[in-house]
Coordinates of all heavy atoms in Angstrom, one line a residue:
M18 N 0.8 -1.2 0.0 CA 0.0 0.0 0.0 C 0.9 1.2 0.0 O 1.8 1.4 0.8 CB -0.9 0.0 1.2 CG -1.8 1.1 1.3 SD -2.9 0.9 2.7 CE -3.2 2.5 3.2
L19 N 0.6 2.1 -0.9 CA 1.3 3.4 -0.9 C 0.8 4.4 0.1 O -0.4 4.5 0.4 CB 1.2 4.0 -2.3 CG 1.8 3.2 -3.5 CD1 1.4 3.9 -4.8 CD2 3.3 3.2 -3.3
L20 N 1.7 5.1 0.7 CA 1.3 6.1 1.6 C 1.0 7.4 0.9 O 1.7 7.7 -0.1 CB 2.3 6.4 2.7 CG 2.6 5.2 3.7 CD1 3.8 5.6 4.6 CD2 1.4 5.0 4.5
R21 N -0.1 8.1 1.2 CA -0.4 9.3 0.5 C 0.6 10.4 1.0 O 0.9 10.5 2.2 CB -1.8 9.8 0.8 CG -2.8 9.0 0.1 CD -4.1 9.7 0.2 NE -5.0 9.2 -0.8 CZ -5.1 9.6 -2.1 NH1 -4.3 10.6 -2.5 NH2 -5.9 9.1 -2.9
R22 N 1.0 11.2 0.1 CA 1.8 12.4 0.5 C 0.9 13.4 1.1 O -0.2 13.5 0.8 CB 2.5 13.0 -0.7 CG 3.6 12.0 -1.3 CD 4.2 12.6 -2.5 NE 3.1 12.7 -3.5 CZ 3.3 13.2 -4.7 NH1 4.5 13.6 -5.1 NH2 2.3 13.2 -5.6
R23 N 1.4 14.1 2.1 CA 0.6 15.0 2.9 C 0.0 16.1 2.0 O -1.1 16.6 2.3 CB 1.5 15.6 4.0 CG 0.7 16.5 5.0 CD 1.6 16.8 6.1 NE 0.9 17.7 7.0 CZ 0.2 17.2 8.0 NH1 0.1 15.9 8.2 NH2 -0.5 18.0 8.8
R24 N 0.6 16.4 0.9 CA 0.1 17.5 0.1 C -1.0 17.0 -0.9 O -1.6 17.8 -1.5 CB 1.2 18.2 -0.7 CG 1.9 17.3 -1.7 CD 2.9 18.1 -2.5 NE 3.3 17.3 -3.6 CZ 4.5 17.1 -4.0 NH1 5.5 17.7 -3.4 NH2 4.8 16.4 -5.1
D25 N -1.2 15.7 -1.0 CA -2.2 15.2 -1.8 C -3.6 15.5 -1.3 O -3.8 15.5 -0.1 CB -2.1 13.7 -2.0 CG -0.9 13.2 -2.8 OD1 -0.3 14.1 -3.5 OD2 -0.6 12.0 -2.8
V26 N -4.5 15.8 -2.2 CA -5.9 16.1 -1.8 C -6.6 14.7 -1.7 O -6.5 13.9 -2.6 CB -6.6 17.0 -2.9 CG1 -8.1 17.1 -2.6 CG2 -5.9 18.3 -2.9
V27 N -7.4 14.5 -0.6 CA -8.2 13.4 -0.5 C -9.7 13.8 -0.9 O -10.0 14.9 -1.0 CB -8.2 12.7 0.9 CG1 -6.8 12.2 1.2 CG2 -8.6 13.7 1.9
C28 N -10.5 12.8 -1.1 CA -11.9 13.0 -1.6 C -12.6 14.1 -0.7 O -13.3 15.0 -1.3 CB -12.7 11.7 -1.7 SG -12.0 10.6 -2.9
R29 N -12.6 13.9 0.6 CA -13.3 14.9 1.4 C -12.8 16.3 1.2 O -13.6 17.2 1.1 CB -13.2 14.5 2.9 CG -14.0 15.3 3.8 CD -13.9 14.8 5.2 NE -14.7 15.6 6.1 CZ -16.0 15.2 6.4 NH1 -16.4 14.1 6.0 NH2 -16.7 16.0 7.2
Q30 N -11.5 16.5 1.1 CA -11.0 17.8 0.8 C -11.4 18.3 -0.6 O -11.8 19.5 -0.8 CB -9.5 17.8 0.9 CG -9.0 17.6 2.3 CD -7.5 17.3 2.3 OE1 -7.0 16.6 1.4 NE2 -6.8 17.9 3.2
A31 N -11.5 17.4 -1.6 CA -11.8 17.7 -2.9 C -13.3 18.3 -2.9 O -13.5 19.3 -3.6 CB -11.7 16.5 -3.8
V32 N -14.2 17.6 -2.2 CA -15.6 18.1 -2.2 C -15.6 19.5 -1.6 O -16.4 20.3 -2.0 CB -16.4 17.0 -1.4 CG1 -17.8 17.6 -1.1 CG2 -16.5 15.7 -2.2
E33 N -14.8 19.7 -0.5 CA -14.8 21.0 0.1 C -14.3 22.1 -0.8 O -14.6 23.3 -0.7 CB -14.1 21.0 1.4 CG -14.7 20.1 2.5 CD -13.8 19.8 3.7 OE1 -12.7 20.3 3.7 OE2 -14.3 19.2 4.6
L34 N -13.4 21.7 -1.7 CA -12.8 22.7 -2.6 C -13.5 23.0 -3.9 O -13.2 24.0 -4.6 CB -11.4 22.3 -3.0 CG -10.4 22.2 -1.8 CD1 -9.1 21.5 -2.3 CD2 -10.1 23.6 -1.2
V35 N -14.5 22.2 -4.2 CA -15.2 22.3 -5.5 C -15.8 23.6 -5.8 O -15.7 24.2 -6.9 CB -16.2 21.1 -5.7 CG1 -17.2 21.4 -6.8 CG2 -15.5 19.8 -6.0
T36 N -16.5 24.2 -4.8 CA -17.2 25.5 -5.0 C -16.2 26.6 -5.3 O -16.3 27.3 -6.3 CB -18.0 25.9 -3.7 OG1 -19.0 24.9 -3.5 CG2 -18.7 27.2 -3.9
D37 N -15.1 26.6 -4.5 CA -14.1 27.6 -4.8 C -13.4 27.4 -6.2 O -13.1 28.3 -6.9 CB -13.0 27.6 -3.7 CG -13.5 28.3 -2.4 OD1 -14.5 29.0 -2.5 OD2 -12.8 28.0 -1.4
Y38 N -13.3 26.1 -6.5 CA -12.7 25.7 -7.8 C -13.6 26.3 -9.0 O -13.1 26.9 -9.9 CB -12.6 24.2 -7.9 CG -12.0 23.7 -9.2 CD1 -10.7 23.8 -9.6 CD2 -12.9 23.1 -10.2 CE1 -10.2 23.3 -10.7 CE2 -12.4 22.6 -11.4 CZ -11.0 22.7 -11.6 OH -10.6 22.2 -12.8
L39 N -14.9 26.0 -8.9 CA -15.8 26.5 -9.9 C -15.9 28.0 -10.0 O -16.1 28.6 -11.0 CB -17.2 25.9 -9.7 CG -17.3 24.4 -9.9 CD1 -18.6 23.9 -9.4 CD2 -17.0 24.0 -11.3
E40 N -15.6 28.7 -8.8 CA -15.7 30.1 -8.8 C -14.3 30.8 -9.1 O -14.2 32.0 -9.1 CB -16.2 30.6 -7.5 CG -17.6 30.2 -7.2 CD -18.1 30.6 -5.8 OE1 -17.3 31.0 -5.0 OE2 -19.3 30.4 -5.5
G41 N -13.3 30.0 -9.4 CA -12.0 30.5 -9.7 C -11.3 31.1 -8.5 O -10.5 32.0 -8.7
A42 N -11.7 30.7 -7.3 CA -11.2 31.3 -6.1 C -10.0 30.6 -5.4 O -9.5 31.0 -4.4 CB -12.3 31.5 -5.1
L43 N -9.6 29.5 -6.0 CA -8.5 28.7 -5.5 C -7.1 29.3 -5.9 O -7.0 29.9 -6.9 CB -8.5 27.3 -5.9 CG -9.6 26.4 -5.4 CD1 -9.5 25.0 -6.0 CD2 -9.6 26.3 -3.9
S44 N -6.2 29.2 -5.0 CA -4.8 29.6 -5.3 C -4.3 28.7 -6.4 O -4.8 27.5 -6.6 CB -3.9 29.5 -4.1 OG -3.7 28.1 -3.8
P45 N -3.3 29.1 -7.2 CA -2.8 28.2 -8.2 C -2.3 26.9 -7.7 O -2.5 25.8 -8.3 CB -1.6 29.0 -8.8 CG -2.0 30.4 -8.6 CD -2.7 30.4 -7.2
R46 N -1.7 26.9 -6.5 CA -1.3 25.6 -5.9 C -2.4 24.7 -5.5 O -2.4 23.5 -5.8 CB -0.5 26.0 -4.6 CG 0.1 24.7 -3.9 CD 1.0 25.2 -2.7 NE 1.4 24.0 -2.0 CZ 0.9 23.6 -0.9 NH1 -0.1 24.2 -0.3 NH2 1.3 22.5 -0.3
D47 N -3.5 25.2 -4.9 CA -4.6 24.4 -4.5 C -5.4 23.9 -5.8 O -5.8 22.8 -5.8 CB -5.6 25.2 -3.6 CG -5.0 25.3 -2.2 OD1 -4.1 24.5 -1.8 OD2 -5.5 26.1 -1.4
R48 N -5.4 24.8 -6.8 CA -6.1 24.4 -8.0 C -5.3 23.2 -8.7 O -5.9 22.2 -9.1 CB -6.1 25.6 -9.0 CG -6.8 25.2 -10.3 CD -6.9 26.5 -11.2 NE -7.6 26.1 -12.4 CZ -9.0 26.3 -12.5 NH1 -9.7 26.7 -11.5 NH2 -9.6 26.0 -13.6
A49 N -4.0 23.3 -8.7 CA -3.2 22.2 -9.2 C -3.4 20.9 -8.4 O -3.5 19.8 -9.0 CB -1.7 22.6 -9.3
R50 N -3.4 21.0 -7.1 CA -3.6 19.8 -6.2 C -5.0 19.2 -6.5 O -5.1 18.0 -6.6 CB -3.5 20.3 -4.8 CG -2.1 20.7 -4.4 CD -2.0 21.2 -3.0 NE -2.5 20.2 -2.0 CZ -3.3 20.5 -1.0 NH1 -3.6 21.8 -0.7 NH2 -3.7 19.6 -0.1
L51 N -6.0 20.0 -6.6 CA -7.3 19.5 -6.9 C -7.4 18.8 -8.2 O -7.9 17.7 -8.4 CB -8.4 20.6 -6.7 CG -9.8 20.2 -7.0 CD1 -10.3 19.0 -6.1 CD2 -10.8 21.3 -6.9
E52 N -6.8 19.5 -9.2 CA -6.9 18.9 -10.6 C -6.1 17.6 -10.6 O -6.5 16.7 -11.4 CB -6.4 19.9 -11.6 CG -7.4 21.1 -11.8 CD -6.9 22.2 -12.7 OE1 -5.7 22.2 -13.0 OE2 -7.8 23.0 -13.2
A53 N -5.0 17.5 -9.9 CA -4.3 16.2 -9.8 C -5.1 15.1 -9.2 O -5.1 14.0 -9.7 CB -3.0 16.4 -9.0
H54 N -5.9 15.5 -8.2 CA -6.8 14.5 -7.6 C -7.9 14.1 -8.6 O -8.2 12.9 -8.7 CB -7.4 15.1 -6.3 CG -8.4 14.1 -5.7 ND1 -8.0 13.1 -4.9 CD2 -9.8 14.1 -5.7 CE1 -9.1 12.4 -4.5 NE2 -10.2 13.0 -5.0
L55 N -8.5 15.1 -9.2 CA -9.6 14.8 -10.2 C -9.1 13.9 -11.3 O -9.8 13.1 -11.9 CB -10.1 16.1 -10.8 CG -10.9 17.0 -9.8 CD1 -11.1 18.4 -10.4 CD2 -12.1 16.4 -9.3
A56 N -7.8 14.0 -11.7 CA -7.3 13.2 -12.8 C -7.2 11.7 -12.4 O -7.2 10.9 -13.4 CB -5.9 13.7 -13.1
V57 N -7.3 11.4 -11.2 CA -7.2 10.0 -10.8 C -8.4 9.5 -10.0 O -8.4 8.4 -9.6 CB -5.9 9.7 -9.9 CG1 -4.7 10.0 -10.8 CG2 -5.9 10.5 -8.6
C58 N -9.4 10.4 -9.7 CA -10.5 10.0 -8.9 C -11.8 10.2 -9.7 O -12.3 11.3 -9.9 CB -10.6 10.8 -7.6 SG -12.0 10.3 -6.6
P59 N -12.4 9.1 -10.2 CA -13.6 9.2 -11.0 C -14.8 9.6 -10.2 O -15.7 10.3 -10.7 CB -13.8 7.8 -11.6 CG -13.0 6.9 -10.7 CD -11.9 7.7 -10.2
H60 N -14.8 9.3 -8.9 CA -15.9 9.7 -8.1 C -16.0 11.3 -7.9 O -17.0 11.9 -8.0 CB -15.8 9.1 -6.7 CG -15.8 7.6 -6.8 ND1 -16.8 6.8 -7.2 CD2 -14.8 6.7 -6.5 CE1 -16.4 5.5 -7.2 NE2 -15.2 5.5 -6.8
C61 N -14.9 11.9 -7.6 CA -14.8 13.3 -7.5 C -15.0 14.0 -8.8 O -15.6 15.1 -8.9 CB -13.5 13.8 -6.8 SG -13.5 13.3 -5.1
T62 N -14.5 13.4 -9.9 CA -14.8 14.0 -11.2 C -16.3 14.0 -11.5 O -16.8 15.0 -12.0 CB -14.0 13.1 -12.3 OG1 -12.6 13.2 -12.0 CG2 -14.2 13.7 -13.7
E63 N -17.0 12.9 -11.1 CA -18.4 12.8 -11.3 C -19.1 13.9 -10.4 O -20.0 14.5 -10.9 CB -18.9 11.4 -11.0 CG -20.4 11.3 -11.1 CD -20.9 11.5 -12.6 OE1 -20.2 11.3 -13.5 OE2 -22.1 11.9 -12.7
Y64 N -18.6 14.0 -9.2 CA -19.2 15.0 -8.3 C -19.1 16.4 -8.9 O -20.0 17.2 -8.9 CB -18.5 15.0 -6.9 CG -19.0 16.0 -6.0 CD1 -20.3 15.9 -5.4 CD2 -18.2 17.1 -5.7 CE1 -20.7 16.9 -4.5 CE2 -18.7 18.1 -4.9 CZ -19.9 18.0 -4.3 OH -20.4 19.0 -3.4
L65 N -17.9 16.7 -9.5 CA -17.7 18.0 -10.1 C -18.6 18.2 -11.3 O -19.3 19.3 -11.4 CB -16.2 18.1 -10.6 CG -15.9 19.4 -11.3 CD1 -16.1 20.7 -10.5 CD2 -14.5 19.4 -11.8
A66 N -18.8 17.2 -12.1 CA -19.7 17.2 -13.2 C -21.2 17.5 -12.7 O -21.9 18.3 -13.3 CB -19.6 16.0 -14.0
Q67 N -21.6 16.8 -11.7 CA -22.9 17.0 -11.1 C -23.1 18.4 -10.6 O -24.2 19.0 -10.7 CB -23.2 16.0 -10.0 CG -23.3 14.6 -10.5 CD -23.4 13.6 -9.3 OE1 -23.2 13.9 -8.2 NE2 -23.6 12.3 -9.7
M68 N -22.1 18.9 -10.0 CA -22.2 20.3 -9.5 C -22.3 21.3 -10.6 O -23.1 22.2 -10.6 CB -20.9 20.7 -8.6 CG -20.9 20.0 -7.3 SD -22.3 20.4 -6.2 CE -21.9 22.1 -5.9
R69 N -21.6 21.1 -11.7 CA -21.7 21.9 -12.9 C -23.2 21.9 -13.5 O -23.7 22.9 -13.8 CB -20.7 21.6 -14.0 CG -19.3 22.0 -13.6 CD -18.3 21.7 -14.7 NE -17.1 22.5 -14.5 CZ -15.9 22.0 -14.7 NH1 -15.7 20.7 -15.1 NH2 -14.8 22.7 -14.4
V70 N -23.7 20.7 -13.6 CA -25.1 20.5 -14.1 C -26.1 21.2 -13.1 O -27.0 21.8 -13.6 CB -25.4 19.0 -14.2 CG1 -26.9 18.8 -14.5 CG2 -24.6 18.4 -15.3
T71 N -25.9 21.0 -11.8 CA -26.8 21.6 -10.9 C -26.7 23.1 -11.0 O -27.8 23.8 -11.0 CB -26.4 21.2 -9.4 OG1 -26.5 19.8 -9.3 CG2 -27.3 21.8 -8.4
I72 N -25.6 23.7 -11.1 CA -25.4 25.1 -11.2 C -26.1 25.6 -12.5 O -26.8 26.6 -12.5 CB -23.9 25.6 -11.2 CG1 -23.4 25.3 -9.7 CG2 -23.8 27.0 -11.6 CD1 -21.9 25.4 -9.6
A73 N -25.9 24.9 -13.6 CA -26.5 25.3 -14.9 C -28.0 25.2 -14.8 O -28.8 26.1 -15.2 CB -26.0 24.4 -16.0
A74 N -28.5 24.1 -14.1 CA -30.0 23.9 -14.0 C -30.6 24.9 -13.1 O -31.7 25.5 -13.4 CB -30.3 22.5 -13.5
T75 N -30.0 25.2 -12.0 CA -30.6 26.2 -11.0 C -30.6 27.6 -11.5 O -31.4 28.4 -11.1 CB -29.9 26.1 -9.6 OG1 -28.5 26.4 -9.8 CG2 -30.1 24.8 -9.0
G76 N -29.7 27.8 -12.5 CA -29.7 29.2 -13.1 C -30.8 29.3 -14.1 O -31.1 30.4 -14.5
Q77 N -31.5 28.2 -14.4 CA -32.6 28.3 -15.3 C -34.0 27.9 -14.7 O -35.0 28.0 -15.4 CB -32.3 27.3 -16.5 CG -31.1 27.7 -17.2 CD -30.7 26.6 -18.2 OE1 -31.4 25.6 -18.4 NE2 -29.6 26.8 -18.9
V78 N -34.0 27.5 -13.5 CA -35.3 27.1 -12.8 C -35.8 28.2 -11.9 O -35.0 28.7 -11.0 CB -35.1 25.8 -12.1 CG1 -36.3 25.4 -11.3 CG2 -34.6 24.7 -13.0
D79 N -37.0 28.6 -12.1 CA -37.6 29.5 -11.1 C -38.1 28.7 -9.9 O -38.9 27.7 -10.1 CB -38.8 30.2 -11.8 CG -39.5 31.1 -10.9 OD1 -39.0 31.5 -9.8 OD2 -40.6 31.6 -11.3
V80 N -37.6 29.0 -8.8 CA -38.0 28.2 -7.6 C -39.5 28.1 -7.4 O -40.0 27.1 -7.0 CB -37.3 28.9 -6.3 CG1 -37.8 28.2 -5.0 CG2 -35.8 28.9 -6.4
E81 N -40.2 29.2 -7.7 CA -41.7 29.1 -7.5 C -42.3 28.2 -8.5 O -43.5 27.8 -8.2 CB -42.2 30.6 -7.7 CG -41.7 31.6 -6.7 CD -42.0 31.1 -5.2 OE1 -43.1 30.6 -4.9 OE2 -41.1 31.3 -4.4
S82 N -41.6 27.8 -9.6 CA -42.3 26.9 -10.5 C -42.1 25.5 -10.1 O -42.7 24.6 -10.7 CB -41.6 27.2 -11.9 OG -40.3 26.7 -11.9
L83 N -41.3 25.2 -9.1 CA -41.1 23.8 -8.7 C -42.3 23.3 -7.9 O -42.9 24.0 -7.1 CB -39.8 23.7 -7.8 CG -38.5 24.0 -8.5 CD1 -37.4 24.0 -7.4 CD2 -38.2 22.9 -9.5
E84 N -42.6 22.0 -8.1 CA -43.6 21.4 -7.3 C -43.0 21.2 -5.9 O -41.8 21.1 -5.7 CB -43.9 20.0 -7.9 CG -44.5 20.0 -9.2 CD -45.9 20.6 -9.2 OE1 -46.7 20.4 -8.2 OE2 -46.3 21.3 -10.2
P85 N -43.9 21.2 -4.9 CA -43.4 21.1 -3.5 C -42.6 19.8 -3.3 O -41.6 19.9 -2.5 CB -44.7 21.0 -2.6 CG -45.7 21.7 -3.5 CD -45.3 21.5 -4.9
E86 N -42.9 18.7 -3.9 CA -42.1 17.5 -3.8 C -40.7 17.7 -4.3 O -39.7 17.2 -3.7 CB -42.8 16.3 -4.5 CG -44.2 16.0 -4.0 CD -45.3 16.8 -4.5 OE1 -45.1 17.5 -5.6 OE2 -46.3 16.9 -3.9
A87 N -40.6 18.4 -5.4 CA -39.3 18.7 -6.0 C -38.4 19.5 -5.1 O -37.2 19.3 -4.9 CB -39.4 19.3 -7.4
R88 N -39.1 20.6 -4.5 CA -38.4 21.4 -3.6 C -37.9 20.6 -2.4 O -36.7 20.8 -2.0 CB -39.3 22.5 -3.1 CG -39.1 23.8 -3.9 CD -39.8 24.9 -3.2 NE -41.0 25.2 -4.1 CZ -42.0 25.9 -3.8 NH1 -42.0 26.5 -2.7 NH2 -42.9 26.1 -4.6
E89 N -38.8 19.8 -1.8 CA -38.4 19.0 -0.7 C -37.2 18.0 -1.0 O -36.3 17.8 -0.2 CB -39.6 18.2 -0.2 CG -40.6 19.0 0.5 CD -41.8 18.2 1.0 OE1 -41.6 17.0 1.3 OE2 -42.9 18.8 1.1
E90 N -37.3 17.5 -2.2 CA -36.2 16.6 -2.6 C -34.9 17.3 -2.8 O -33.8 16.8 -2.3 CB -36.5 15.9 -4.0 CG -35.5 14.9 -4.4 CD -35.9 14.1 -5.7 OE1 -37.1 14.2 -6.0 OE2 -35.0 13.5 -6.3
L91 N -34.9 18.5 -3.4 CA -33.7 19.3 -3.5 C -33.1 19.7 -2.1 O -31.9 19.6 -1.9 CB -33.9 20.5 -4.4 CG -34.1 20.2 -5.8 CD1 -34.5 21.5 -6.6 CD2 -32.8 19.7 -6.4
V92 N -34.0 20.1 -1.2 CA -33.5 20.5 0.1 C -32.9 19.2 0.8 O -31.9 19.3 1.5 CB -34.7 21.1 0.9 CG1 -34.3 21.2 2.4 CG2 -35.1 22.4 0.4
G93 N -33.6 18.1 0.7 CA -33.1 16.9 1.3 C -31.7 16.5 0.7 O -30.8 16.1 1.4
L94 N -31.5 16.6 -0.6 CA -30.2 16.3 -1.2 C -29.2 17.3 -0.7 O -28.1 16.8 -0.4 CB -30.3 16.5 -2.8 CG -31.0 15.4 -3.5 CD1 -31.3 15.8 -4.9 CD2 -30.3 14.1 -3.4
Y95 N -29.5 18.5 -0.6 CA -28.5 19.5 0.0 C -28.2 19.2 1.4 O -27.0 19.2 1.8 CB -29.1 20.9 -0.1 CG -28.2 21.9 0.6 CD1 -27.0 22.3 -0.1 CD2 -28.4 22.4 1.8 CE1 -26.1 23.2 0.5 CE2 -27.5 23.2 2.5 CZ -26.4 23.6 1.8 OH -25.5 24.5 2.4
R96 N -29.2 18.8 2.2 CA -28.9 18.5 3.6 C -28.0 17.3 3.8 O -27.1 17.3 4.6 CB -30.2 18.3 4.4 CG -30.9 19.6 4.6 CD -32.1 19.5 5.5 NE -32.7 20.8 5.7 CZ -34.0 21.0 5.9 NH1 -34.8 20.0 5.9 NH2 -34.4 22.2 6.1
R97 N -28.3 16.3 3.0 CA -27.4 15.1 3.0 C -26.0 15.4 2.5 O -25.0 14.9 3.1 CB -28.0 13.9 2.1 CG -29.2 13.3 2.8 CD -29.7 12.0 2.1 NE -30.1 12.2 0.7 CZ -31.3 12.6 0.3 NH1 -32.3 12.8 1.2 NH2 -31.6 12.8 -0.9
W98 N -25.9 16.2 1.5 CA -24.6 16.6 1.0 C -23.8 17.4 2.1 O -22.6 17.1 2.4 CB -24.7 17.4 -0.2 CG -23.4 18.0 -0.7 CD1 -22.4 17.4 -1.4 CD2 -23.0 19.4 -0.4 NE1 -21.4 18.3 -1.5 CE2 -21.7 19.5 -1.0 CE3 -23.5 20.5 0.2 CZ2 -21.0 20.7 -0.9 CZ3 -22.8 21.6 0.3 CH2 -21.5 21.7 -0.2
A99 N -24.5 18.3 2.8 CA -23.9 19.2 3.8 C -23.4 18.4 5.0 O -22.4 18.7 5.6 CB -24.8 20.3 4.2
Q100 N -24.1 17.3 5.3 CA -23.7 16.4 6.4 C -22.6 15.5 6.1 O -21.9 15.0 7.0 CB -24.9 15.6 6.9 CG -26.0 16.4 7.5 CD -27.3 15.6 7.8 OE1 -27.4 14.4 7.4 NE2 -28.2 16.2 8.5
G101 N -22.3 15.4 4.8 CA -21.1 14.6 4.4 C -21.5 13.2 4.3 O -21.1 12.2 4.4

């Protein structure tokens, strides 16, 4: 088993960095570390893709147009995501 180098990003850290990554708010060093992780982690790459889709979709959906069930499902998804 290989030991991870301390500077390597692990999945939990990658999830925490995604928002700043998408907003261009990461330092060049952190951006490079995250991109190195994404290059070898299909799960975090999929998470990033899902976040991009969510951001694109929420930019086009009027909250008032959502059915109550859809709103509850989105809130539930967010809460589960926030709890880790």
Side-chain angles (χ1 to χ4, degrees):
M18 180 173 152
L19 295 174
L20 294 176
R21 287 195 162 273
R22 292 178 295 181
R23 190 170 177 88
R24 67 176 193 225
D25 288 347
V26 171
V27 296
C28 294
R29 186 176 184 96
Q30 293 169 317
V32 168
E33 293 171 358
L34 294 172
V35 162
T36 301
D37 286 343
Y38 179 74
L39 292 171
E40 293 176 352
L43 291 179
S44 68
R46 180 176 177 259
D47 285 344
R48 182 178 184 88
R50 292 174 56 219
L51 178 59
E52 289 176 344
H54 178 80
L55 293 170
V57 296
C58 182
H60 304 293
C61 288
T62 301
E63 178 63 26
Y64 176 75
L65 176 62
Q67 290 173 354
M68 289 299 292
R69 285 184 167 138
V70 169
T71 300
I72 290 168
T75 56
Q77 298 173 3
V78 175
D79 179 13
V80 174
E81 299 302 320
S82 70
L83 293 174
E84 295 292 327
E86 297 84 20
R88 263 191 254 170
E89 288 179 27
E90 184 175 343
L91 287 171
V92 169
L94 286 170
Y95 174 76
R96 286 183 177 150
R97 286 191 298 276
W98 172 81
Q100 291 174 350

